[in-house]
Amino acid sequence: MALLYPTLIAAMGDIAHPSWRGSALGVYRFWRDLGYAIGALAMGLVADAAGMLAAGFWFTGLAMALSGLWLVLRMEETHPRSRSTTGPAGETGRQQAQAPLAAEMLPLAELAADPGRLFLIDVREAQDFATIHVAGAVHIPLADLAARAGEIPADKTPVTICGKGGGRSAEGAALLRRLGHPDARWLEGGTNGWLERDR
């Protein structure tokens, strides 16, 4: 269990944005610790009803197996692992499921070719944006994107930008698509890629 705890906390911290990471870990710890109490009571009741302690352990093992199966079936990975829209025959279901995310990427060359039709949104934190950003980009932190989505012009394609591309920007583009901007995309390489291209 000592090895399991930091692994679970690291997994939670990895997928949580810095603006709500603290509250996410707090909620996670609350439900995890509450599960211990409920599990202990349930184990005791089962063992008492069955008249033997082994029944309580079997119940606990079954509950853990079912909860693990539920996570496998219901939880989705939040980090993009593939930027290729096509793959070799026989690719896994997970890779196929990630293909739509790759389709949302805007190549740097496309931004350079026709920037006028795009609405650039830098979703990083204020200090990162103030340090350096793509020319013409509007600063809307990822945490505020849903509330400020109405600021996006209807006649332009929203393009989200982060530091390296594919992390917060991909999350922001996916959010905008859910909010009624089906053409939302994220910038290939992010701010770093754009700056390297200009050198």
Side-chain angles (χ1 to χ4, degrees), residues 42-88:
M43 179 180 177
L45 291 173
V46 170
D48 185 60
M52 57 180 181
L53 186 60
F57 285 101
W58 280 108
F59 167 78
T60 302
L62 178 61
M64 294 181 67
L66 291 176
S67 65
L69 179 62
W70 175 258
L71 292 178
V72 169
L73 295 176
R74 297 294 298 172
M75 289 194 71
E76 297 180 1
E77 175 59 72
T78 59
H79 289 298
R81 296 182 184 276
S82 172
R83 295 185 179 180
S84 173
T85 56
T86 60

Side-chain angles (χ1 to χ4, degrees), residues 119 149-158 181 183:
F119 186 73
E151 300 177 18
I152 301 174
D155 60 340
K156 291 193 175 184
T157 298
H181 295 276
D183 56 344

Side-chain angles (χ1 to χ4, degrees), residues 19-153:
S19 62
W20 49 271
R21 183 172 294 150
S23 59
L25 290 175
V27 171
Y28 159 72
R29 289 292 301 271
F30 170 78
W31 286 107
R32 191 198 72 182
D33 294 345
L34 183 63
Y36 290 151
I38 295 175
L41 289 173
M43 179 180 177
L45 291 173
V46 170
D48 185 60
M52 57 180 181
L53 186 60
F57 285 101
W58 280 108
F59 167 78
T60 302
L62 178 61
M64 294 181 67
L66 291 176
S67 65
L69 179 62
W70 175 258
L71 292 178
V72 169
L73 295 176
R74 297 294 298 172
M75 289 194 71
E76 297 180 1
E77 175 59 72
T78 59
H79 289 298
R81 296 182 184 276
S82 172
R83 295 185 179 180
S84 173
T85 56
T86 60
E91 64 182 356
T92 66
R94 182 177 294 275
Q95 289 172 323
Q96 292 173 342
Q98 290 167 346
L101 179 61
E104 299 170 12
M105 181 184 69
L106 180 79
L108 288 167
E110 191 171 338
L111 171 58
D114 189 12
R117 67 177 179 83
L118 307 174
F119 186 73
L120 307 179
I121 307 170
D122 194 313
V123 298
R124 298 175 299 162
E125 298 303 311
Q127 60 271 23
D128 298 322
F129 179 81
T131 300
I132 196 164
H133 58 268
V134 175
V138 175
H139 180 233
I140 305 180
L142 183 60
D144 301 335
L145 191 56
R148 297 178 58 184
E151 300 177 18
I152 301 174

